[in-house]
């Protein structure tokens, strides 16, 4: 996921995203890393989404933040 960190930095440096967006992306990426070290494409499934949602509810303090992280 190092490529994603680099992409966030690049987009911010090129002024394609604002500071608040950079912080949100970085925070979400950090939480994804806590959830799973890697997520292969073949693991994408409705069950993975449910597991992600449960992880957010358990580990993220703000309910709105957990909801935002699910894309729902």
């Amino acid at each position: 996921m190092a490529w994603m960190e680099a992409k966030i930095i690049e987009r911010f440096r090129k002024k394609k995203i604002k500071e608040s967006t950079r912080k949100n992306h970085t925070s979400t990426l950090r939480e994804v890393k806590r959830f799973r070290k890697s997520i292969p494409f073949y693991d994408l499934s409705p069950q993975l989404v449910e597991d992600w949602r449960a992880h957010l509810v358990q580990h993220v303090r703000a309910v709105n933040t957990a909801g935002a992280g699910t894309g729902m």
Side-chain angles (χ1 to χ4, degrees):
M1 289 187 211
W3 65 271
M4 185 55 94
E5 292 172 13
K7 192 68 171 176
I8 293 168
I9 292 167
E10 174 190 342
R11 294 186 74 220
F12 177 69
R13 190 179 58 236
K14 291 182 176 181
K15 299 186 190 294
K16 292 185 176 187
I17 58 174
K18 295 180 182 181
E19 173 68 11
S20 59
T21 303
R22 184 195 65 78
K23 286 181 179 180
N24 284 335
H25 288 183
T26 301
S27 176
T28 300
L29 182 58
R30 186 178 325 114
E31 202 56 45
V32 168
K33 288 178 180 180
R34 282 181 62 195
F35 173 63
R36 299 260 173 97
K37 292 190 189 268
S38 68
I39 303 174
F41 184 78
Y42 59 81
D43 278 354
L44 298 179
S45 68
Q47 183 60 53
L48 180 73
V49 173
E50 290 302 318
D51 293 348
W52 169 243
R53 185 177 293 138
H55 171 85
L56 290 176
V57 168
Q58 184 177 4
H59 292 96
V60 177
R61 285 180 271 158
V63 174
N64 286 342
T65 303
T70 64
M72 304 288 171

